[in-house]
């Protein structure tokens, strides 16, 4: 008998927010491939439209709502049978309202329900609609296997989910729930499997990655040492860490793990002790600077990046200047900087804020200008040095084909190949840094890394 091969269906997905969301999207797509869905870049031909949402600041939220509105028109005009679902942090928090308010939305699913995506899609295919999957089971161990769909030599591996910190401005503990770590043994065999499929660089991922293992009596630094020992793995990264959980053993790992990248992303948020206290961050600016000193001693090549929030409710001019002073002392290689955005349900949202929005905008601009100056200075010493990159893609700049990859210290470097037809994807190369601006660097190819 002739076997009937069902033709593949198309899924279009838009992801907002952090690396965790992009990682989740990959898991969603991997699950959906079991239902014969393949990714499409063209929303008009999609049988299934998904949004993986972010609630961390209002901006990401509003972008999602306007995209969801556009899909309503599309569903009416082009394809009435298209299935529409919303996942991620906004769905976790406002899923019920979304389902009620948006008639064209078939289902919503929370951050802990990604592995049930196929059930949801099948439910809609069988005629059901307007439902939500948003439960958590806090009693269950956190046990998963990393699922990836692309054949990249770089992989993100989630080791801890959720966050217990409840920083007063942050919605993550509400959208992602309490901290839960995977077991080290499971993570190690997961990474070994990834290495067997060609992965060479791994980024250990979590909202508060260095709080890993507490409930299982395991230490993040021990996990780093064990991953570092895996044969076949060439580079190891982790993100995002919290200064309160930077321990001496973790600092030591930065000098002993030869595969650990020369980069640490360590969000400070503010340089003012009074603001840090109001944020619930549990460290002072001098404690933060001490950590930097120790970590730079452990690995003199290390490059530090950070996150800054300006305009926390009622931040005074003086408190703001303390942040500027911290930037000058810390000398970050780059920062993500944001205006405080009140998030529903958080402590900070309820504070009556006298600080004008125009002043917040001015402060953000000042932070960015000062940081840019620091970046120019720091990066000038990078010129002339040698960097080893794992090549992750190519593009054209003013008509010239260039490949790009990240150095161990996480700077993006572009280089021109000897010939247009050369394929460097997934290869390790050495480059000499020719120029280094605050936002990207240019290199010249020395050759493949031995
Ligand atoms: N407003 C502005 N920025 C925020 N972040 C988290 N919550 C908020 C908020 N309510 C920033 C922090 C965090 C980064 C991921 O997002 O700097 O480190
Ligand atoms: Fe949010 Fe604070 Fe947890 Fe980071 S540590 S995810 S800022 S609550």
């Amino acid at each position: 008998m002739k076997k009937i091969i069902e033709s593949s269906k198309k899924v279009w997905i838009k992801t907002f927010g952090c690396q965790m969301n992009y990682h989740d999207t990959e898991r969603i797509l991997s699950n959906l491939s079991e239902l014969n869905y393949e990714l499409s870049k063209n929303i008009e031909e999609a049988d299934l439209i998904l949004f993986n949402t972010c609630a961390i600041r209002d901006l990401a939220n509003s972008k999602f709502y306007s995209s969801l509105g556009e899909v309503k028109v599309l569903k009416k005009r082009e394809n009435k049978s298209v299935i529409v679902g919303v996942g991620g942090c906004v769905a976790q928090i406002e899923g019920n309202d979304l389902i009620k308010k948006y008639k064209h939305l078939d289902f919503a699913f929370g951050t802990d329900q990604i592995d049930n995506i196929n059930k949801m899609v099948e439910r809609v295919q069988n005629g059901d609609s307007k439902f939500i999957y948003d439960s958590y089971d806090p009693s269950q161990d956190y046990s998963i296997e990393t699922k990836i769909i692309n054949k990249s030599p770089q992989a993100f591996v989630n080791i801890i989910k959720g966050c217990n910190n409840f920083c007063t401005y942050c919605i993550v503990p509400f959208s992602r729930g309490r901290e839960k770590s995977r077991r080290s043994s499971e993570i190690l065999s997961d990474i070994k499997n990834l290495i067997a499929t060609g992965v060479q660089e791994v980024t250990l991922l979590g909202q508060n990655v260095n709080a890993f293992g507490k409930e299982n009596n395991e230490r993040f630094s021990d996990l780093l040492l064990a991953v570092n020992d895996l044969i076949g793995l060439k580079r190891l990264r982790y993100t995002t860490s919290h200064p309160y959980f930077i321990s001496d053993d973790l600092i030591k790992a930065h000098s002993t793990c030869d595969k650990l990248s020369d980069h640490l992303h360590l969000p400070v948020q503010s340089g003012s002790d009074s603001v840090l206290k109001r944020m619930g961050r549990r460290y002072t600016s001098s404690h933060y600077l001490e950590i930097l000193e120790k970590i730079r001693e452990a690995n003199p090549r290390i490059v530090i990046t950070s996150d800054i929030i300006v305009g926390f409710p009622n931040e005074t001019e003086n408190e703001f200047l303390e942040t500027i002073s911290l930037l000058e002392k810390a000398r970050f290689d780059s920062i993500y900087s944001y205006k405080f955005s009140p998030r529903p349900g958080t402590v900070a949202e309820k504070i009556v804020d006298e600080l004008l929005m125009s002043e917040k905008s001015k402060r953000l601009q000042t932070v960015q200008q000062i940081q840019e100056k620091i970046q120019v200075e720091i990066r000038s010493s990078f010129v002339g040095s040698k960097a080893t990159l794992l090549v992750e893609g190519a593009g054209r700049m003013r008509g010239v084909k260039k490949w790009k990859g990240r150095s161990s210290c996480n700077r993006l470097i572009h280089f021109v190949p000897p010939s247009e037809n050369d394929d460097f994807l997934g290869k390790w190369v050495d480059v000499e840094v020719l120029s280094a601006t605050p936002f990207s660097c240019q290199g010249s190819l020395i050759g493949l890394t031995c």
Side-chain angles (χ1 to χ4, degrees), residues 329-357:
K329 288 181 195 143
R331 301 189 64 77
F332 298 120
D333 193 62
S334 67
I335 57 165
Y336 293 103
S337 50
Y338 313 100
K339 264 187 284 189
F340 167 75
S341 168
R343 307 317 297 135
T346 59
V347 169
E349 183 227 1
K350 295 176 188 71
I351 304 172
V352 180
D353 188 5
E354 307 285 339
L355 189 62
L356 293 176
M357 190 50 88

Side-chain angles (χ1 to χ4, degrees), residues 404-424:
K404 64 177 177 185
R406 287 188 180 272
S407 63
S408 173
C409 65
N410 209 36
R411 290 176 182 143
L412 193 61
I413 305 182
H414 302 263
F415 67 91
V416 181
S419 142
E420 280 263 335
N421 300 326
D422 288 334
D423 184 2
F424 284 101

Side-chain angles (χ1 to χ4, degrees), residues 163 165-167 169-170 172-173 207-208 242 269 281:
C163 182
N165 282 327
F166 288 93
C167 298
Y169 51 81
C170 185
V172 167
Q207 251 85 31
N208 189 10
H242 188 300
Q269 315 297 1
R281 293 290 290 176

Side-chain angles (χ1 to χ4, degrees), residues 240-254:
T240 289
S241 33
H242 188 300
Y244 182 77
F245 298 93
I246 298 278
S247 54
D248 285 343
D249 47 283
L250 176 54
I251 292 176
K252 193 162 165 221
H254 277 272

